[in-house]
Amino acid sequence: MVRTVAIGQQDFATIREKGYFYIDKTRFIRQWWERGDSVTLITRPRRFGKTLTMSMLEKFFSVSYAGRGDLFEGMEIWEEKSSSEKSSSEHYSYRELQGTYPVIFLSFADVKETGFQDARKMICYSIEQLYSQNDFLLETELLNEKEKRFFRNVTADMENYILSSSLKTLSNYLYRFYGKKVIILLDEYDTPMQEAYVKGYWREER
């Protein structure tokens, strides 16, 4: 069967659900996971598939996609076992990891404003959206009143001290809720810096 090449499509779930042409890169999940690095920087040329790769990681690990093993059926990762120097009885199937970790996926791809204040507001708005996606935390007993107040103060007009600590704080809240470290995927992190340089507000942004 001839498959459609969906040019510009960067969402892994859409590609798999629609049956679009996809070169299996899921082996990267195992390679990345077993390195055990705290931070990974993916440097590749434009249009090389960085965003799609991060989308793949999100759909594989995120609790928001628990039970979506269908997205990976037939892919290499679905047959993978962990590599270990321990006895074979301690190896695990990567299927067991699918949908079991809290994931924060933040993209700055749309931060292309002409001035510093508007760019800052777009960054703040992107983070506000992340908090909105996780506002169920406000309904739990996990957060005290001070923490809930911080949560509600994360807005497009938030103060600098809230902005600078917002991702770390949300990560901490999710860690406490799920009992697992949070995977943070940051895409197009350099777009605001590039736009600031091109449009003349680099000194303000840095």
Side-chain angles (χ1 to χ4, degrees), residues 37-83:
D37 295 333
S38 296
V39 177
T40 301
L41 176 63
I42 301 176
T43 56
R44 293 292 185 274
R46 287 179 56 81
R47 317 311 306 169
F48 205 81
K50 296 185 296 296
T51 297
L52 178 56
T53 296
M54 282 190 272
S55 176
M56 174 188 71
L57 290 172
E58 178 195 21
K59 272 59 174 184
F60 186 79
F61 287 106
S62 176
V63 293
S64 298
Y65 288 86
R68 290 306 312 272
D70 58 292
L71 296 176
F72 297 90
E73 289 177 2
M75 300 279 100
E76 189 168 349
I77 192 62
W78 213 236
E79 307 303 324
E80 285 280 359
K81 301 284 186 180
S82 66
S83 62

Side-chain angles (χ1 to χ4, degrees), residues 126-197:
S126 298
I127 295 174
E128 180 186 18
Q129 292 300 101
L130 285 179
Y131 271 72
S132 295
Q133 292 166 18
N134 293 283
D135 61 4
F136 67 88
L137 293 168
L138 292 171
E139 306 302 320
T140 70
E141 298 299 319
L142 178 75
L143 308 183
N144 59 39
E145 288 306 313
K146 187 175 181 180
E147 291 170 327
K148 288 181 180 179
R149 188 161 56 250
F150 180 95
F151 197 110
R152 295 189 179 99
N153 283 333
V154 175
T155 67
D157 299 304
M158 71 181 100
E159 296 182 56
N160 284 336
Y161 81 93
I162 295 178
L163 172 59
S164 63
S165 60
S166 56
L167 279 183
K168 182 179 180 180
T169 300
L170 180 58
S171 176
N172 175 263
Y173 292 167
L174 290 172
Y175 170 72
R176 286 158 54 189
F177 183 82
Y178 289 105
K180 290 185 174 182
K181 289 185 176 181
V182 179
I183 297 171
I184 300 177
L185 303 172
L186 179 58
D187 192 24
E188 297 283 350
Y189 68 90
D190 58 334
T191 295
M193 293 183 285
Q194 177 178 301
E195 294 296 314
Y197 180 77

